[in-house]
Amino acid sequence: MSDGLFDAPGTQAVSDDFEASVVRIPSGSDRFAPLAVRMRPRSLDEVVGQEHLLGPGSPLRRLVEGSGAASVLLYGPPGTGKTTLASLLSQATGRRFEALSALSAGVKEVRAVIDLARRRLASGEQTVLFIDEVHRFSKTQQDALLAAVENRIVLLVAATTENPSFSVVSPLLSRSLVLQLKSLSDEDIRIVLNRAIADPRGLAGEYQVADAALDHIVRIAGGDARRSLTALEASAESSLDGKVGVELVEASVDKAAVRYDRDGDQHYDVISAFIKSLRGSDVDAALHYLARMISAGEDPRFIARRLMIQASEEVGMADPMALQTATAAAQVVQLVGLPEAQLALAQATIHIATAPKSGSVVKGINAALADIRAGKAGAVPPHLRDGHYAGAAALGNAQGYKYPHDHPDGVLAQQYPPDELVGTDYYQPTDHGYEREVGPRVTKLRRIVRGK
């Protein structure tokens, strides 16, 4: 290996493939490095945020200080300090630090690090293995780590932006501490920015950044320190007189970060919030989450499918038109596409969020399914059976069936369910919206059909 942050002087050389898979965290002393790299904390005392993980005696603090012995999975949004903490781990006393990227490393590279760590352990030296983007490792690659983690041949520190419950195999999950990093608060981001403006590693006090400009950067950062520093750097580089105002920031930065990953945890979080906002009749929140999904490039067909489901699940018979609106929106998505289809999706969202709510459709079908699973699926009454074949009459099928349209009211007394389900009520109308009209009608129809 060539000299670098994670090189191990005096150890056996490994293959070129291994070399290519090693992650090197750039040094903050490089004046040509991005501002976010130059301002990376050099100690725990410089870390902003994550107080819930870095308190005295906490597992993560003990690990960074060189006294902890547990493998950890660092889980959190971009720009919250996962790579920073990995960098600080490289300075932990008495340990060697190796890092792999899940984007380029395979099983071969994982085993090479483990073999190297085993040789070091024989001489009393422990190895910390940092794996970035661990959710991109296949099951086979993750399984290759298990024995080394369990026997503490390596101390694993893995970082992921996705919920490990969805992306990390259960055996590895159970052998590691899962530590969730949180998005930084606006005040945290402001501290990071002010430090970068004044620090010699950053802008060294050479720029005057207006309060309104700082406020705008904080707002568009979305809790991501790296994004805030990137925006600050881009704005400063565009300044001709050393002054940074809000107009300059707006011209230098395209748009705010959208916390969303169509394949990961944010996908589930945002769609969950969207559904619950629809159910809770908060039309503004529902439109917010719809906008987040559209801005992040979510498949509009997925959104349309969810709206159709919600129209029946949350509104149902309280407003039967909600399903028609959602279905029409799905057709617009299919026939027109984005960006115009976002209007139809918004219309369906507004309709469902503001409609009267009823869970009677869900409760009705769930109750019926529960009876089926419990074995309550008796024989179809003979008069309802199919009679369109030779010999049906001899079997008593379709004999005695009463045709409702022959009755002046279009409804008459007749048994429809199996014997053991006679008198069972699955559909329970509410008094919300259209179901106010449906409820009395259902009661009357049941009374007539059941001959009461």
Side-chain angles (χ1 to χ4, degrees):
M1 284 188 183
S2 60
D3 290 337
L5 178 60
F6 302 129
D7 289 345
T11 59
Q12 181 176 338
V14 292
S15 69
D16 291 339
D17 289 340
F18 174 75
E19 169 77 13
S21 67
V22 168
V23 176
R24 284 179 173 78
I25 302 173
S27 170
S29 62
D30 184 352
R31 65 188 182 91
F32 296 108
L35 180 62
V37 172
R38 301 200 307 271
M39 291 306 302
R40 180 166 287 134
R42 296 164 295 187
S43 69
L44 282 181
D45 293 334
E46 291 187 3
V47 174
V48 176
Q50 315 309 335
E51 291 85 358
H52 63 296
L53 297 180
L54 295 173
S58 66
L60 188 54
R61 178 173 284 276
R62 287 189 287 109
L63 187 64
V64 172
E65 292 175 347
S67 58
S71 291
V72 297
L73 293 171
L74 300 175
Y75 152 51
T80 52
K82 297 185 296 298
T83 305
T84 290
L85 291 170
S87 177
L88 293 176
L89 280 168
S90 68
Q91 304 168 24
T93 58
R95 291 182 177 138
R96 302 302 294 269
F97 193 83
E98 300 288 349
L100 296 177
S101 170
L103 296 175
S104 56
V107 173
K108 178 181 178 182
E109 288 73 30
V110 171
R111 288 175 176 164
V113 172
I114 292 172
D115 288 342
L116 186 62
R118 187 177 288 109
R119 292 195 296 272
R120 287 173 178 164
L121 194 60
S123 60
E125 191 175 38
Q126 191 175 33
T127 299
V128 173
L129 171 59
F130 173 64
I131 298 179
D132 199 16
E133 306 285 345
V134 70
H135 59 273
R136 297 185 183 273
F137 259 3
S138 68
K139 182 179 183 298
T140 301
Q141 290 169 308
Q142 293 185 34
D143 286 343
L145 293 166
L146 289 178
V149 171
E150 186 168 28
N151 297 321
R152 292 187 176 173
I153 294 171
V154 297
L155 199 61
L156 175 67
V157 179
T160 175
T161 55
E162 297 188 9
N163 191 328
S165 299
F166 300 136
S167 56
V168 177
V169 295
S170 296
L172 188 56
L173 202 60
S174 66
R175 289 166 172 80
S176 307
L177 287 174
V178 178
L179 304 178
Q180 183 175 6
L181 281 72
K182 299 178 181 178
S183 295
L184 301 186
S185 68
D186 287 353
E187 185 56 34
D188 290 335
I189 295 295
R190 197 177 299 277
I191 291 172
V192 169
L193 290 171
N194 284 324
R195 180 184 295 168
I197 292 170
D199 197 292
R201 291 178 296 157
L203 303 184
E206 297 176 359
Y207 293 86
Q208 297 178 14
V209 183
D211 290 341
L214 273 180
D215 291 340
H216 187 62
I217 294 175
V218 169
R219 186 163 53 251
I220 66 175
D224 184 331
R226 186 186 302 111
R227 181 172 178 83
S228 72
L229 291 171
T230 300
L232 175 63
E233 183 175 32
S235 302
E237 289 176 347
S238 300
S239 176
L240 299 178
D241 57 2
K243 297 180 179 180
V244 177
V246 67
E247 297 83 4
L248 186 61
V249 175
E250 289 175 342
S252 303
V253 182
D254 290 331
K255 61 180 180 178
V258 177
R259 288 271 180 253
Y260 198 84
D261 182 340
R262 282 187 292 167
D263 299 319
D265 187 41
Q266 287 295 315
H267 165 85
Y268 297 103
D269 286 346
V270 173
I271 193 60
S272 175
F274 180 59
I275 290 168
K276 289 169 182 173
S277 298
L278 291 171
R279 181 184 301 139
S281 300
D282 190 329
V283 62
D284 304 297
L287 286 171
H288 165 77
Y289 291 116
L290 173 65
R292 280 177 69 164
M293 289 188 285
I294 291 173
S295 297
E298 178 62 81
D299 186 343
R301 295 171 299 177
F302 170 78
I303 301 173
R305 287 194 295 270
R306 288 309 321 178
L307 286 168
M308 287 189 285
I309 293 169
Q310 296 311 110
S312 291
E313 183 175 352
E314 313 299 352
V315 178
M317 290 301 296
D319 182 358
M321 288 296 296
L323 180 57
Q324 296 184 39
T325 301
T327 302
Q331 290 179 315
V332 173
V333 167
Q334 187 70 29
L335 298 175
V336 179
L338 293 175
E340 292 84 356
Q342 68 188 21
L343 299 177
L345 292 173
Q347 181 177 343
T349 296
I350 293 169
H351 189 147
I352 294 170
T354 58
K357 302 299 187 293
S358 172
S360 60
V361 171
V362 176
K363 292 178 180 177
I365 187 61
N366 284 347
L369 288 170
D371 275 354
I372 297 300
R373 288 191 289 268
K376 297 180 181 180
V380 174
H383 60 281
L384 298 184
R385 296 175 188 170
D386 181 21
H388 295 86
Y389 59 94
L395 294 173
N397 293 353
Q399 302 302 300
Y401 171 67
K402 302 173 185 178
Y403 190 56
H405 292 297
D406 290 339
H407 191 279
D409 294 332
V411 60
L412 45 76
Q414 184 167 234
Q415 180 180 336
Y416 291 96
D419 291 343
E420 53 265 59
L421 292 175
V422 170
T424 301
D425 296 344
Y426 290 125
Y427 177 48
Q428 302 287 349
T430 70
D431 60 354
H432 302 160
Y434 178 70
E435 280 192 312
R436 290 195 192 97
E437 301 177 30
V438 174
R441 189 183 310 163
V442 168
T443 300
K444 183 177 180 181
L445 289 171
R446 283 172 175 160
R447 187 167 57 248
I448 295 172
V449 170
R450 296 170 184 177
K452 296 181 179 178

